[in-house]
Amino acid sequence: MISLKSPRDIEGMRRAGQITAAARELAGKMVRPGVTTLEIDTAVRKFIEGQGAIPSFLNFPGPPGVRNFPGSACISVNDEVIHGIPSNQVLKEGDIVSVDVGAYIGGFHGDCAGTFACGKVSEEAARLIAVTEQSFWEGMKFARFGYRVSDISHAVQKYVEDNGFSVVRDYVGHGVGANLHEAPEVPNYGKPGHGPRLAPGMTLAVEPMVNQGDWRIKVMKDGWTVRTADGSLSAHYENSILITKGEPEILTRVGDLRV
């Protein structure tokens, strides 16, 4: 069942989103050669908790037989698509680093992600990052009252594929609110005109996951880390949004919150 948020709920979502966006910004500023992904994760956790919030991903339940997620952020490097576990891995010049983060406060979650260049990256890696982010904004053109979920999906896919990349099929965006994952699912591919009709009060986490090569993926033995099947680079961009009677509102904006 899709949850439509009340004005009071939306205020709570804005607060959670602002903290989440600031944590993403903090992580992005830390991406540089010589830094470990665990150092970034530690700073993200300290920041979120310092705002009186709880990291949404910390101890998030895994699939059967898999340990709960041990980090406060998912930090995925190069061919890692999503769900990278923070570790003592040292970032190096030319890496691209995807950081997915969530914060829970006042009964609501924020959820957002971004991919950051570590020092100087290849022209193709920089283009992958840029196309992934822009595909989100292409989708936002259809995140309006009266359109359907798949109108967002189709816009993302078309932009990505027109630029020679591919969208991951196995993982999708989702509703977000009192629960980190709510209905409806928001794929990054598909034909337009399908799925639930968008209505004011819907809050969605729209998150293109884009591969340099083929769209297929593989899950590592840790049960969390997802990599491209062909070893090509991958990028990720996400915001939590609110459907209104007009322009969609980006809930994961830093606003006046200082990192």
Side-chain angles (χ1 to χ4, degrees), residues 15 19 24 52 63 82 99 109 113 119 124-125 138-139 152 167 172 181-182 194 207 223 233 252 258:
R15 185 182 181 203
I19 295 169
R24 173 179 59 184
I82 50 172
V99 181
H109 292 271
E124 185 72 351
E138 295 299 316
I152 299 173
V167 292
V172 299
H181 297 125
E182 299 183 349
H194 295 275
E207 51 177 320
L233 297 177
T252 40
R258 291 291 175 262

Side-chain angles (χ1 to χ4, degrees), residues 98-160:
S98 298
V99 181
D100 191 357
V101 63
Y104 179 76
I105 190 169
F108 295 98
H109 292 271
D111 190 6
C112 66
T115 300
F116 305 94
C118 185
K120 183 175 177 58
V121 301
S122 70
E123 183 177 333
E124 185 72 351
R127 195 171 75 85
L128 174 65
I129 293 171
V131 167
T132 301
E133 181 170 348
Q134 185 58 36
S135 73
F136 169 87
W137 297 108
E138 295 299 316
M140 286 306 92
K141 295 176 182 178
F142 297 89
R144 294 170 172 269
F145 176 43
Y147 284 103
R148 293 185 180 273
V149 166
S150 75
D151 295 322
I152 299 173
S153 310
H154 179 73
V156 169
Q157 181 183 15
K158 185 177 188 306
Y159 184 80
V160 168

